[in-house]
Amino acid sequence: MAAGPQGADIGTSSTLVGRLFSDHPRSLGMTWASHGSGAAAIGARLIGAGAACMIHAVVPAWFTQTAGRTVTDIYEDIARRKSAAANPNAWPDYEI
């Protein structure tokens, strides 16, 4: 067992598969599927914000607040999830 933040045991795996797929989600108190779905949702939102920025670069009157609002919303979502976690002190500043 490896010690995580604040000396908490996070139960790291000695196998490659465990290190690649389960150690990080487990350290956050999540399953692989719940972590993956959350990461995919955040990624999709960031892609949308990036597309809005690219359009905004061409037509400055469009999407004037989309990227900033998206980043702020994502940050607030992560902060809420962190505060509701079983061990919020074990969460990194940025969960992804």
Side-chain angles (χ1 to χ4, degrees):
M1 298 283 227
Q6 314 276 315
D9 285 337
I10 59 172
T12 59
S13 175
S14 62
T15 67
L16 178 61
V17 172
R19 287 192 306 271
L20 290 175
F21 296 102
S22 61
D23 287 355
H24 172 64
R26 188 180 305 126
S27 75
L28 300 173
M30 302 171 82
T31 65
W32 174 85
S34 65
H35 181 272
S37 64
I42 289 170
R45 290 168 69 186
L46 289 171
I47 289 169
C53 282
M54 298 302 288
I55 295 167
H56 175 72
V58 176
V59 184
W62 293 351
F63 303 110
T64 59
Q65 298 178 15
T66 303
R69 188 176 56 243
T70 300
V71 170
T72 300
D73 289 348
I74 290 171
Y75 174 80
E76 290 171 354
D77 289 347
I78 291 172
R80 267 192 304 275
R81 289 171 52 179
K82 179 178 179 177
S83 68
N87 186 4
N89 293 327
W91 278 47
D93 288 335
Y94 299 96
E95 97 187 59
I96 299 175

